Amino acid sequence: MPLLLVAVLLATTSAAAGASTRLVHVQVQPGPVVAVRLDFSAPVTPIVRSLPASDGMPERIYLDLPATTLGEETPRITSGAGALLRVRTGQFDAGTARVVLDLSLQQPYVVRTAAHSLTIELTDPTPMPMPTPALAPPPRPPEAPPARTQEVRRALVVVDAGHGGRDPGATGIDGVVEKTVTLALAKLLAERLPARLPVDVLLTRRDDAYVPIDERVAFATDATLFISLHANASLDPRTRGIEVFFGGGGPAQVASTGDPPQRFGLAIIDALTARLADSRTLVRPGGYGVLARNSVPSVLLEIGYLTNAEDAARIRDAAYQALVTEAVVDAVDAFLNERVES
Ligand SMILES: [Zn+2]
């Protein structure tokens, strides 16, 4: 009996501490039944939950995989099909990998487990026309089924709260820290963008976490726009004002109407000028990692100088934060509509 207990304990602790199982492959199977297949180096028992759309995030299904880590080669974002917008993977904590299925609308699903794989099938909510007397659905009302227009792929905007965790960014007057300011503004944007526009939003961080630049950029793989939020600092306390940098997009996306990153940068300047007449703004290509390595039109917005008394005060003012947020939403709106027309 004592021997058996020891054996059980050893098995449990080695699985938890060693995190020996790797998630090696993510595959989206487009149809007729959309499914996501995950391959592992060893069998895994997932914890599966679904969450309704909220707080700027779409409808989603979460799988937490205990004692599992992501492989080097595991994609962080995989494009979806049908009602599946995309599949995201991440290391939730040292021992738990998390897989998130973002959905354009609520979907019933089944999880099938095999020896070294796991498949999540999104079962179509429309009843099959096949007559099965015993399981026949109740008679439907005569009206046509609801139009499934929501399945149209919506624009995806990645909102990046600059810095975080062990990287505080700039420190300003009264100890105000950049990473805190950028997170507050990112959360406001995540709320206001989908409230005003038909867009989905992904936040690169939702708390005081350190997220490496490559992971931030990976969020944009499937995105339409990338917005990185920052606050500035200067040795000269008189230096103040908003600055906008643009980048990303890649040479292939340069259109005759002007290059998309620049157009997005200018749209932000226009919107900020319209909402905050006094702001000093600049726009120029930025050499920052999140811009240079980004594949989609990207802006880096420095919302003011934390080292300037006036800027530091207004950056912490809720009314000012709301104005900046609405201006960025105006700019996304202008950019997306202009693009549809061209
Ligand atoms: Zn910064």
Side-chain angles (χ1 to χ4, degrees), residues 23 70 75-76 88-93 96-100 215:
L23 169 57
L70 299 182
R76 297 302 189 264
R88 292 182 281 130
T89 63
Q91 198 66 45
F92 179 65
D93 60 34
T96 311
R98 176 169 285 181
V99 177
V100 184
E215 279 182 35

Side-chain angles (χ1 to χ4, degrees), residues 64-75:
D64 277 342
L65 308 161
T68 304
T69 51
L70 299 182
E72 283 279 304
E73 69 286 10
T74 313

Side-chain angles (χ1 to χ4, degrees), residues 162-163 169-170 178 182 229-231 300 302:
H163 310 277
E178 184 180 358
T182 59
L229 301 168
H230 290 259
L300 189 148
E302 298 272 10

Side-chain angles (χ1 to χ4, degrees), residues 48-338:
V48 186
R49 293 174 293 154
S50 59
L51 285 170
S54 69
D55 197 17
M57 301 291 284
E59 195 85 42
R60 54 215 187 272
I61 300 170
Y62 274 88
L63 290 90
D64 277 342
L65 308 161
T68 304
T69 51
L70 299 182
E72 283 279 304
E73 69 286 10
T74 313
R76 297 302 189 264
I77 306 240
T78 306
S79 299
L84 175 68
L85 297 170
R86 69 196 70 82
V87 182
R88 292 182 281 130
T89 63
Q91 198 66 45
F92 179 65
D93 60 34
T96 311
R98 176 169 285 181
V99 177
V100 184
L101 281 63
D102 287 332
L103 306 168
S104 62
L105 70 170
Q106 199 178 26
Q107 292 280 299
Y109 61 91
V110 260
V111 180
R112 300 185 194 285
T113 47
H116 282 205
S117 75
L118 204 157
T119 307
I120 308 104
E121 286 179 7
L122 302 179
T123 52
D124 197 310
T126 312
M128 296 295 284
M130 196 104 69
T132 352
L135 297 168
R140 294 181 64 83
E143 298 96 285
R148 303 180 63 190
T149 46
Q150 277 187 41
E151 280 197 29
V152 172
R153 189 66 50 92
R154 285 151 54 108
L156 174 67
V157 180
V158 176
V159 176
D160 174 47
H163 310 277
R166 61 181 149 94
D167 167 22
T171 302
I173 289 168
D174 296 335
V176 58
V177 177
E178 184 180 358
K179 67 174 183 177
T180 312
V181 164
T182 59
L183 182 61
L185 199 63
K187 286 184 170 175
L188 279 177
L189 259 179
E191 215 177 276
R192 293 299 297 155
L193 274 166
R196 283 185 49 198
L197 305 175
V199 300
D200 292 320
V201 174
L202 279 181
L203 288 171
T204 57
R205 66 180 178 98
R206 307 181 68 79
D207 51 24
D208 185 21
Y210 175 79
V211 182
I213 284 183
D214 284 343
E215 279 182 35
R216 292 174 192 260
V217 171
F219 274 94
T221 309
D222 215 20
T224 315
L225 292 170
F226 183 94
I227 303 167
S228 190
L229 301 168
H230 290 259
N232 241 325
S234 170
L235 288 174
D236 183 349
R238 291 167 302 179
T239 307
R240 61 169 306 202
I242 294 176
E243 295 177 13
V244 179
F245 302 88
F246 60 85
Q253 292 202 20
V254 176
S256 55
T257 47
D259 117 89
Q262 183 175 24
R263 282 197 290 117
F264 186 40
L266 290 170
I268 290 214
I269 296 285
D270 287 349
L272 287 167
T273 308
R275 295 245 183 200
L276 308 156
D278 69 328
S279 62
R280 180 177 69 90
T281 51
L282 298 171
V283 58
R284 57 184 184 235
Y288 299 96
V290 286
L291 298 183
R293 286 188 243 161
N294 224 310
S295 57
V296 302
S298 311
V299 295
L300 189 148
L301 178 58
E302 298 272 10
I303 58 163
Y305 281 78
L306 297 176
T307 42
N308 173 269
E310 281 171 83
D311 271 13
R314 69 176 188 174
I315 284 167
R316 279 181 290 185
D317 176 48
Y320 179 78
Q321 290 173 9
L323 275 179
V324 172
T325 303
E326 298 307 323
V328 174
V329 180
D330 292 345
V332 172
D333 189 15
F335 178 83
L336 292 177
N337 286 319
E338 187 185 348

